[in-house]
Amino acid sequence: MITAHNTVDGAHFAFTDRWGGVSAVPYEELNLGGAVGDAPEAVRANRELAAKSLGVEPGAVVWMNQVHGREVAVVDGPWRDKSDIPCVDAVVTARRGIPLAVLTADCTPVLLADPVAGVVGAAHAGRPGLVAGVVPAVVEAMTELGAEASRMIARTGPAVCGRCYEVPERMRADVAAIESAAYAETSWGTPAVDVTAGVHAQLERLGVVDREQSPVCTLESEDHFSYRRERTTGRLAAYVWLD
């Protein structure tokens, strides 16, 4: 269910695994993604289970239609209707008590909070989003709401690691041309990309000092969904909010 939930100065950061839900194979069990082919009623039930385990209202959670870009939405509450949910890869809010959520199954979920300013942000950073600049975009959007990078707390969740994310040599070169820290090699000696390393390098350059990353590689962990391992599979969620 919830594999990690920690609170720092009133900022909550939480990440799910794949267990404790109601979805059937191949989405077993706690699939939180609504656009992967799972039964809608199962996804609704899973989202309620996850939210209640965190002590938040299921209807208060802000979700995104993620598209591997860099667009950011500023929100002051949950969407009124599914048709209102924009195609973005980051959301920010200056309202306390509003949980922001990111869906992943190998990409890196990025959670940010400035408890002093009362601003939080959540971003979906896959390889395309890293290159497009979703990380600086979400930090900039938070800053425009009064946050300061030096005060931000950043947490990244379970994601495919650089030892496992094999890509063609040309793709590695293209990514490294934008973010050199993402240059990696698999454990078997082939070209790879380390998205999480790239995310943290960008956060560091932006002035975000308080950073931690999950040790979990989704491809290696059978307790987590992995698109690269399973293709048809569920989605994990990462949540951030302020008391």
Side-chain angles (χ1 to χ4, degrees):
M1 180 70 77
I2 304 299
T3 56
H5 179 192
N6 61 80
T7 306
V8 183
D9 296 334
H12 294 259
F13 305 90
F15 304 95
T16 65
D17 62 18
R18 71 184 298 161
W19 308 120
V22 302
S23 292
V25 175
Y27 308 103
E28 82 277 41
E29 297 172 2
L30 191 69
N31 168 45
L32 298 164
V36 294
D38 196 4
E41 59 272 19
V43 177
R44 284 194 298 269
N46 288 338
R47 289 184 174 186
E48 289 182 5
L49 287 168
K52 289 177 180 176
S53 73
L54 293 169
V56 301
E57 287 295 323
V61 179
V62 177
W63 302 91
M64 299 177 271
N65 284 327
Q66 299 166 189
V67 292
H68 291 282
R70 58 161 286 140
E71 297 303 313
V72 184
V74 179
V75 301
D76 59 9
W79 312 109
R80 291 171 297 176
D81 188 83
K82 284 186 66 176
S83 62
D84 295 330
I85 302 176
C87 293
V88 297
D89 285 273
V91 284
V92 301
T93 187
R95 284 194 60 188
R96 294 178 180 270
I98 302 297
L100 309 180
V102 183
L103 293 169
T104 58
D106 283 331
C107 294
T108 303
V110 186
L111 306 180
L112 297 155
D114 178 346
V116 175
V119 178
V120 295
H124 164 245
R127 175 183 48 78
L130 174 73
V131 171
V134 70
V135 173
V138 70
V139 170
E140 179 182 358
M142 291 176 65
T143 301
E144 290 175 354
L145 293 177
E148 293 183 11
S150 61
R151 292 195 305 245
M152 290 182 190
I153 304 163
R155 301 291 183 264
T156 58
V160 63
C161 73
R163 299 182 309 274
C164 293
Y165 187 9
E166 184 178 37
V167 299
E169 174 59 49
R170 180 65 185 179
M171 183 179 290
R172 178 173 69 172
D174 289 344
V175 174
I178 302 297
E179 179 48 69
S180 60
Y183 185 99
E185 185 176 283
T186 65
S187 58
W188 53 96
T190 56
V193 167
D194 191 330
V195 174
T196 301
V199 166
H200 280 267
Q202 292 182 350
L203 289 171
E204 183 177 18
R205 287 197 299 273
L206 290 163
V208 181
V209 179
D210 187 344
R211 307 184 314 275
E212 291 183 8
Q213 73 178 73
S214 168
V216 174
C217 170
T218 47
L219 192 145
E220 295 176 326
S221 172
E222 293 185 0
D223 292 324
H224 296 78
F225 297 116
S226 171
Y227 175 78
R228 288 181 71 85
R229 184 182 64 234
E230 301 167 292
R231 295 299 174 181
T232 302
T233 191
R235 295 296 184 268
L236 310 165
Y239 303 82
V240 62
W241 73 97
L242 285 167
D243 286 332

